[in-house]
Amino acid sequence: MAHILGDHDPVFIDGGFEQYEPAANSHQCLARNAKMNTTHSPVLPNSRIQITRLAMISATAWLAAAGSVSAQTPERGEPGLTGTFTLIGQMVHARTEATATLLNDGRVLIVGGKNNSDPAIAQAEIYDPATGGFTATGSLAQGRTLATATKLADGRVLIAGGQTPKVLIRAAELYDPASGTFTSVGELNYPRTLHGAALLQDGRVLFVGGWPSGSSAELYDPTTGQFSFTGSMNVSRVYFGTIGLPDGSVLVAGGGFTDSAERYDPATGTFSLTGNLVEPLAPSAVTLLSDGRPLLVGGNTPGGYTANAQLFDPATGTFTLTGQMAAPRNGAKAATLTSGLVLVAGGHTAVESAELYDPATATFTSTNPMTEGRADFTATALANGRVLIAGGIGFHGALSNAELFTPERIFRNGFE
């Protein structure tokens, strides 16, 4: 069986090299426990195929190419992408509504959230792709859920706002990956939960909206450690999309049941309305495509959960519908892959299902499901091309397990 580890990882087939004999439809082991190289698989003079390249195809796709297993693939010679989810073990704490941040060293910091026994988790944890495990790290001075986490230019992570069952939080804390500790760094001017945050190109952090702060916005300056007000939004927003754009502005879209959107200009400290969303929306997830356009997927509308997706074009300031998911999703997550495709998974109604969005065709294609249905989890694109899915809410409460999505290139009737 070919184990796909990523686009640049060495692969073993049963621990070594094999040779395929077409006439007998069989494999012969040539060497065990040896890494494959990255050269093309040569076709030997006797028409046998020696598998000695970096694998870009899964065992299932290999069999499908040979006609043994049916698979949904592109037309002959056109590479596509599918993928599989694999359980990787248990987190230190079950948690939902947490934050996850990719650190500069490739590890993932998971902070806050809640579970069945703790409504505001203080202890954070680290996922290390090198070991595939989770370990405890420092604890917040104030446990919280529904906070924002923003990685600063120096690699530290700013945790701000959120809530406990009884308190709306103003306090902010900085996590230092070098020491594994949190340090209090003052307070937001207003308490905020269900708010937005974005790193500006000058290193400051913009905080916008949320409950009960409405239309207000403020900036955190890491050089002074201070929070200060900036211009207010034109519309009060809770549960909306916030994402930095390539030109340095910040898009704020939807929230509640509004179809309005606006952009923040750091140079002037002001918000200006832009084109409206196609429909009023509290988006489930927002991610930036490789071409710089934000993709908004799923979410809640006045008519209920939606399967629609919308693209924002920063050049024209307009939103357009782009494809439709196989299922309505709210509480789902999205992550842009190194291939440029977008993984969309989970949600309160879609449960364990997952889909891939292709910007080139503006279509969604179902891929293999998650190992367990979940919503309100974290999805983090890793440096190795995989996506870490951690925690969330399942059928019986907050989840402590995690899984990895591994993209797999597939072909019909042949290799590259």
Side-chain angles (χ1 to χ4, degrees):
M1 177 178 292
H3 301 280
I4 305 303
L5 301 181
D7 288 355
H8 303 288
D9 291 334
V11 176
F12 298 86
I13 295 186
D14 276 344
F17 299 95
E18 296 187 6
Q19 183 168 286
Y20 175 67
E21 171 60 70
N25 189 29
S26 63
H27 293 78
Q28 176 186 358
C29 181
L30 301 182
R32 302 191 68 84
N33 298 322
K35 285 186 179 179
M36 291 187 174
N37 62 36
T38 57
T39 61
H40 260 295
S41 305
V43 178
L44 304 180
N46 55 11
S47 297
R48 297 181 176 89
I49 298 175
Q50 184 176 336
I51 306 171
T52 58
R53 61 170 291 190
L54 177 67
M56 299 292 281
I57 187 167
S58 70
T60 301
W62 167 274
L63 292 172
S68 302
V69 175
S70 63
Q72 201 173 14
T73 65
E75 292 304 314
R76 178 194 236 358
E78 297 180 357
L81 200 69
T82 182
T84 55
F85 290 88
T86 307
L87 279 176
I88 57 170
Q90 299 292 309
M91 296 190 294
V92 177
H93 295 283
R95 58 180 89 212
T96 185
E97 298 177 354
T99 66
T101 307
L102 183 67
L103 303 178
N104 289 344
D105 61 9
R107 297 179 300 159
V108 179
L109 172 69
I110 300 175
V111 178
K114 64 183 181 181
N115 59 35
N116 300 356
S117 59
D118 189 343
I121 300 170
Q123 187 176 64
E125 54 191 287
I126 292 283
Y127 169 75
D128 189 343
T131 64
F134 293 85
T135 56
T137 186
S139 293
L140 292 162
Q142 185 171 17
R144 62 192 76 192
T145 187
L146 297 173
T148 55
T150 309
K151 186 171 70 173
L152 304 182
D154 63 7
R156 294 179 298 168
V157 180
L158 178 64
I159 309 296
Q163 66 181 66
T164 72
K166 297 182 179 180
V167 178
L168 298 176
I169 297 173
R170 294 175 54 196
E173 305 184 39
L174 269 178
Y175 177 79
D176 185 349
S179 64
T181 58
F182 288 91
T183 304
S184 295
V185 290
E187 295 184 333
L188 294 159
N189 288 284
Y190 285 148
R192 299 178 188 272
T193 186
L194 296 171
H195 57 293
L199 180 69
L200 304 181
Q201 291 182 352
D202 62 9
R204 295 177 298 167
V205 180
L206 173 69
F207 295 94
V208 290
W211 178 260
S213 307
S215 62
S216 73
E218 53 189 293
L219 295 167
Y220 172 76
D221 188 339
T223 62
T224 64
Q226 299 296 312
F227 291 87
S228 59
F229 283 115
T230 187
S232 293
M233 293 186 292
N234 294 276
V235 177
S236 295
R237 303 177 191 274
V238 175
Y239 199 82
F240 51 95
T242 308
I243 195 164
L245 301 178
D247 67 357
S249 65
V250 177
L251 174 68
V252 181
F257 291 139
T258 180
D259 63 356
S260 71
E262 43 196 308
R263 292 169 80 163
Y264 176 76
D265 183 349
T268 62
T270 58
F271 289 86
S272 58
L273 290 169
T274 186
N276 285 349
L277 294 158
V278 176
E279 61 184 341
L281 181 69
S284 179
V286 183
T287 188
L288 199 66
L289 302 183
S290 55
D291 63 8
R293 293 178 298 166
L295 173 70
L296 291 75
V297 295
N300 205 3
T301 73
Y305 298 162
T306 181
N308 290 336
Q310 302 186 40
L311 274 177
F312 177 75
D313 187 342
T316 62
T318 57
F319 289 87
T320 56
L321 285 176
T322 177
Q324 190 172 57
M325 295 181 290
R329 298 179 187 275
N330 192 43
K333 298 297 178 181
T336 301
L337 308 178
T338 54
S339 65
L341 276 67
V342 177
L343 172 68
V344 182
H348 293 293
T349 55
V351 199
E352 74 276 1
S353 71
E355 309 180 43
L356 290 168
Y357 172 77
D358 187 346
T361 61
T363 57
F364 288 87
T365 303
S366 294
T367 187
N368 293 306
M370 294 188 290
T371 63
E372 182 166 357
R374 63 186 78 214
D376 298 329
F377 51 95
T378 63
T380 311
L382 305 179
N384 60 16
R386 300 179 180 89
V387 178
L388 174 67
I389 306 294
I393 189 78
F395 290 111
H396 303 291
L399 299 172
S400 61
N401 62 30
E403 44 191 305
L404 280 178
F405 175 78
T406 303
E408 301 176 8
R409 297 190 185 279
I410 56 176
F411 300 86
R412 177 171 296 226
N413 299 326
F415 295 92
E416 274 187 308

